Amino acid sequence: MKMNYYQRLSTYFTFICTFFLSTSVEAVHFVIHQLPLHHPQEASLFLVGSFNAWNPSDTKYQFHRNQKGQWVASISSSLNAFEYKITRGSWEKVESTQDGKPKANRVFISENEADTVFIDVLGWEDLAGQTTILLEELPASTPYESRFFLTGDFNNWDPFNTEYQFQKNEEGVYALTLPSTISQFQFKVTRGSWSSTECLSNGKYRPNRAYFHQSKGPETIVLQIEDWEDVYKGKVWGLTPLTQFILFHLLLLFIYFSWINYEHSQFKMSLWIIGLSFGITLLFATSLFMPLKNSLNGLHLVHDLFIPVLFIAIGVIQNYTFRYTQWKSYKRGIYVLSISLLLVVSLYVYQEEPLLTTFLERKYPVLNLFIKLIVLAVVMYTWNISRQKLTKYNTETLQGSVVKMAKEAFLLYQKSVVVLMGVFIISIVIQAYRSVLSPSDFLLQDLSDDIIWYATFIYMVFLSGWVFRYHALLKPVELKSSYRKEDVPSNDKELTVFMEQVTVLFEKEQLYTKQDLTLNEVSTIMSIPSHKLTKLIQQSYKKNFSELVNDYRVKAFTQKVMMGEAEKSTLLSIAYEVGFHSKSTFNRAFKKSTGMTPKEFMNKSSVKKILEE
């Protein structure tokens, strides 16, 4: 009897538990745990399956957000087993695998599932053409703990958009996946600002990268970042440090020639050459720094067209040196440059893109080729005119010795221009190849530009040395005496002042010790025309220039011997030290100045006595 009671109690308890469990689970909840990257935020989500005849937009089974912000859809617990998928309202917008391929139906079996099912949606079939960008290689200069962002025309070129931030994948590589809606785009990689954007390995501005997603499936872009604009450290041989060196070098020369031109106003032509070289280099330097690029709006980037101005100026100076006042032939070069400059700027401005963008992106390579051809044409034209005139100048009225030295100087200059033009031709061939056969290879244009400016800067170093060496000749050659008006005889006061100047130069500054000292050199230093200097020396000392200089040298020689220096070195060494450049010249000058040979002088008793002591 008792057993029957407990059996009935057990049966009743089992019934109550079963009833409670069956009534407590009224529905199964499906919760979206994860959505794919770049999922359309405003899109509606639907649960579709065998329970609703696979209707992809059944509002009865539409997901809604709960209080926690989760997407949730519910199904009656009476459905024990069914197949299902997630859609965005149509079969074209059904879920897919992560790589965009069709996904098999999901399966629900009540015996195997809890009352809440969490779902990870890995992709959508209509958004299957995703593009994954991998930063496979980063430069060693990358700062520690940097963050990387993708900027492009798809996000209004925002360099710090966190929706397009790279994240490390399972392999430790920075990756970012773009949706299929972004299929054709231009882009760059930044570290959060435009000052920290990627650049080329030589520090130059990198043109925008471009990509076109062609297939229906996912595609991957593998990038190597060469360097960053804000942390790039230039190479010693790079254009940036070379430009800085040239600027400093030319600035020092400009200051030097400005100073000596203040004292002697005959060096204006040297100052012009150095000043023009400095100006052209400074104009190029503005293209290396982004703040200056932005402030000038790119107009300065036609700096190549200013290179021929230097050659035109030297051609005019050549005419000036040989007293040839006609320079109309060089006007043609100036006209060509001016018209080309206006034409090029007009063509660039006519384009839709800003001028600065056009240059930075290396667009319109044919126009760049046109600029370089104009540069070469004007340089060749100027060189040819100067070469022809150098042999045709009328020099009958000019001092022959100075004319010879001036022609040698300008002939050396013209030979150097030939070498420079050869390098320019190589640069133009490279640019022509890029324009015709490889228009997308902007690195060829960079190489062509670099060749031109490396050659120009090396040439400027040579030119500055040339000016420094021949600056005394870069002025009108003196006329022969027969073609000058006779000067009024110098008065006593003028002669006295002149002799005081000579005393300072020869006794205090010991100018005579320079072995290759010439009349023109002293003329330049004293700011006295050479023909007048000759006359003043004759009137003051009753000697010519060579005799005056040699007298000072002989006097210095005898003083050194009397002070006992002959015991420490040979007589010839002392002669060289005071300015003589050969033994025969020394012997002849010594005999003429003292009336005895050096040997006779050394045998004098007074000299012997000094040497013995």
Side-chain angles (χ1 to χ4, degrees):
M1 189 73 178
K2 289 182 179 179
M3 288 294 293
N4 290 336
Y5 172 79
Y6 285 114
Q7 286 177 353
R8 287 198 300 273
L9 183 62
S10 175
T11 302
Y12 177 75
F13 181 77
T14 303
F15 173 79
I16 293 298
C17 290
T18 303
F19 178 80
F20 177 79
L21 290 173
S22 62
T23 56
S24 61
V25 182
E26 297 179 352
V28 178
H29 305 292
F30 291 83
V31 179
I32 302 295
H33 176 254
Q34 179 182 333
L35 288 169
L37 188 65
H38 301 295
H39 165 77
Q41 297 298 322
E42 304 301 324
S44 299
L45 300 175
F46 298 87
L47 192 66
V48 56
S50 56
F51 52 83
N52 71 341
W54 296 98
N55 183 352
S57 57
D58 191 344
T59 56
K60 182 179 178 181
Y61 298 101
Q62 183 175 351
F63 284 85
H64 299 280
R65 288 191 183 275
N66 62 14
Q67 293 179 349
K68 296 180 180 180
Q70 298 171 317
W71 291 100
V72 180
S74 300
I75 293 182
S76 173
S77 61
S78 60
L79 299 173
N80 295 323
F82 54 85
E83 293 182 343
Y84 68 99
K85 280 187 175 180
I86 310 298
T87 76
R88 295 194 340 269
S90 69
W91 283 114
E92 289 77 18
K93 301 178 181 179
V94 69
E95 65 174 320
S96 67
T97 60
Q98 189 170 9
D99 57 2
K101 296 179 180 179
K103 181 178 177 60
N105 295 339
R106 298 176 184 268
V107 178
F108 176 83
I109 300 176
S110 60
E111 295 179 358
N112 301 331
E113 302 283 355
D115 61 340
T116 301
V117 179
F118 292 95
I119 301 172
D120 289 338
V121 180
L122 301 179
W124 302 107
E125 284 193 9
D126 64 319
L127 303 179
Q130 295 176 330
T131 304
T132 300
I133 302 175
L134 302 177
L135 302 184
E136 185 179 61
E137 186 176 332
L138 295 171
S141 60
T142 304
Y144 181 66
E145 293 186 349
S146 294
R147 293 187 296 169
F148 308 102
F149 301 86
L150 194 71
T151 179
D153 49 11
F154 48 82
N155 67 351
N156 200 26
W157 295 100
D158 183 355
F160 189 60
N161 191 327
T162 54
E163 293 183 7
Y164 297 91
Q165 181 176 347
F166 287 85
Q167 304 292 342
K168 281 190 175 181
N169 59 18
E170 296 177 353
E171 299 175 354
V173 177
Y174 284 98
L176 176 65
T177 301
L178 299 178
S180 61
T181 53
I182 305 176
S183 58
Q184 185 173 0
F185 55 96
Q186 293 186 1
F187 67 100
K188 276 187 176 180
V189 179
T190 78
R191 297 198 334 274
S193 68
W194 279 115
S195 62
S196 59
T197 188
E198 61 174 320
C199 66
L200 298 177
S201 59
N202 57 6
K204 284 190 174 183
Y205 177 92
R206 166 175 276 285
N208 297 333
R209 299 177 185 266
Y211 188 75
F212 177 56
H213 192 114
Q214 298 179 336
S215 68
K216 294 183 179 180
E219 295 180 3
T220 301
I221 308 173
V222 179
L223 301 182
Q224 288 85 32
I225 307 300
E226 297 178 34
D227 218 319
W228 307 102
E229 285 191 2
D230 61 327
V231 297
Y232 171 75
K233 295 181 179 179
K235 308 295 188 298
V236 175
W237 58 86
L239 265 181
T240 300
L242 178 60
T243 304
Q244 294 170 345
F245 166 76
I246 297 295
L247 280 174
F248 181 70
H249 169 73
L250 293 175
L251 180 61
L252 289 180
L253 281 176
F254 187 80
I255 293 172
Y256 169 74
F257 280 108
S258 297
W259 175 69
I260 65 172
N261 193 62
Y262 175 78
E263 297 290 336
H264 313 289
S265 59
Q266 304 176 57
F267 302 135
K268 291 179 181 178
M269 298 301 102
S270 302
L271 196 60
W272 266 103
I273 296 175
I274 299 300
L276 273 173
S277 301
F278 181 81
I280 293 170
T281 308
L282 186 63
L283 185 62
F284 174 78
T286 61
S287 67
L288 301 176
F289 305 101
M290 186 59 73
L292 290 174
K293 292 178 186 177
N294 293 333
S295 61
L296 295 175
N297 199 28
L299 285 173
H300 62 296
L301 292 174
V302 288
H303 41 47
D304 292 22
L305 287 173
F306 290 89
I307 294 176
V309 175
L310 180 60
F311 297 89
I312 293 174
I314 296 177
V316 174
I317 290 172
Q318 178 181 299
N319 284 350
Y320 174 80
T321 301
F322 291 99
R323 295 181 176 271
Y324 183 79
T325 57
Q326 298 295 326
W327 62 286
K328 290 183 179 179
S329 53
Y330 294 108
K331 284 185 177 179
R332 298 189 187 99
I334 296 175
Y335 292 153
V336 170
L337 280 180
S338 302
I339 294 172
S340 301
L341 183 61
L342 291 174
L343 179 62
V344 168
V345 173
S346 300
L347 289 173
Y348 277 127
V349 172
Y350 179 73
Q351 309 302 327
E352 294 181 359
E353 301 94 338
L355 183 61
L356 179 60
T357 302
T358 300
F359 276 101
L360 294 180
E361 296 295 330
R362 283 76 152 183
K363 295 187 177 182
Y364 312 113
V366 175
L367 202 51
N368 183 279
L369 176 62
F370 170 74
I371 291 175
K372 289 171 181 172
L373 286 172
I374 291 296
V375 170
L376 178 62
V378 175
V379 171
M380 290 184 70
Y381 172 79
T382 306
W383 167 80
N384 188 50
I385 293 295
S386 300
R387 182 182 60 86
Q388 291 178 357
K389 288 187 177 298
L390 192 60
T391 60
K392 295 180 180 179
Y393 289 124
N394 182 6
T395 60
E396 292 181 1
T397 62
L398 307 179
Q399 291 187 5
S401 59
V402 181
V403 167
K404 182 180 178 181
M405 289 188 292
K407 283 190 174 183
E408 289 176 353
F410 282 103
L411 185 61
L412 176 62
Y413 155 76
Q414 289 170 5
K415 289 179 179 178
S416 69
V417 177
V418 173
V419 177
L420 184 67
M421 289 190 299
V423 178
F424 280 8
I425 291 173
I426 295 173
S427 170
I428 289 173
V429 170
I430 294 173
Q431 182 63 35
Y433 180 87
R434 190 242 164 158
S435 302
V436 178
L437 300 177
S438 185
S440 61
D441 191 353
F442 65 88
L443 291 177
L444 286 176
Q445 182 166 316
D446 284 354
L447 176 61
S448 175
D449 292 342
D450 287 352
I451 287 175
I452 280 185
W453 284 102
Y454 271 114
T456 301
F457 287 154
I458 293 173
Y459 174 75
M460 283 182 178
V461 173
F462 162 80
L463 188 61
S464 61
W466 180 83
V467 170
F468 195 81
R469 174 67 180 84
Y470 296 109
H471 67 274
L473 299 173
L474 300 180
K475 61 180 181 179
V477 177
E478 293 290 341
L479 295 170
K480 291 180 179 178
S481 58
S482 57
Y483 290 91
R484 292 192 300 263
K485 290 177 66 177
E486 289 297 323
D487 293 319
V488 178
S490 304
N491 54 42
D492 292 340
K493 183 177 181 181
E494 184 180 7
L495 292 177
T496 302
V497 172
F498 170 72
M499 294 177 71
E500 289 175 354
Q501 291 178 326
V502 171
T503 300
V504 171
L505 287 176
F506 285 86
E507 293 188 6
K508 293 185 178 180
E509 299 183 12
Q510 297 183 344
L511 193 62
Y512 58 83
T513 58
K514 186 177 180 182
Q515 291 186 348
D516 56 350
L517 185 65
T518 63
L519 176 68
N520 284 327
E521 209 167 335
V522 177
S523 168
T524 300
I525 294 172
M526 300 183 71
S527 298
I528 300 174
S530 56
H531 69 278
K532 186 173 182 179
L533 178 61
T534 302
K535 188 189 74 170
L536 287 171
I537 292 174
Q538 185 64 38
Q539 291 179 349
S540 302
Y541 298 97
K542 309 303 180 187
K543 300 174 182 177
N544 61 32
F545 174 76
S546 298
E547 292 172 342
L548 175 65
V549 174
N550 286 335
D551 280 351
Y552 273 102
R553 289 170 177 167
V554 170
K555 182 179 178 182
F557 173 85
T558 56
Q559 287 178 347
K560 288 180 177 292
V561 170
M562 298 297 286
M563 293 174 65
E565 290 196 19
E567 293 180 340
K568 303 175 184 177
S569 61
T570 65
L571 297 181
L572 190 58
S573 297
I574 299 175
Y576 287 150
E577 187 178 337
V578 298
F580 289 106
H581 56 80
S582 69
K583 182 178 180 181
S584 59
T585 304
F586 165 62
N587 289 333
R588 187 167 52 252
F590 194 92
K591 174 75 172 177
K592 187 172 185 178
S593 180
T594 63
M596 64 182 76
T597 64
K599 185 176 181 180
E600 291 173 344
F601 173 75
M602 295 301 295
N603 289 331
K604 287 180 63 176
S605 59
S606 58
V607 177
K608 279 185 175 182
K609 185 176 180 181
I610 292 172
L611 294 176
E612 290 172 358
E613 291 176 356

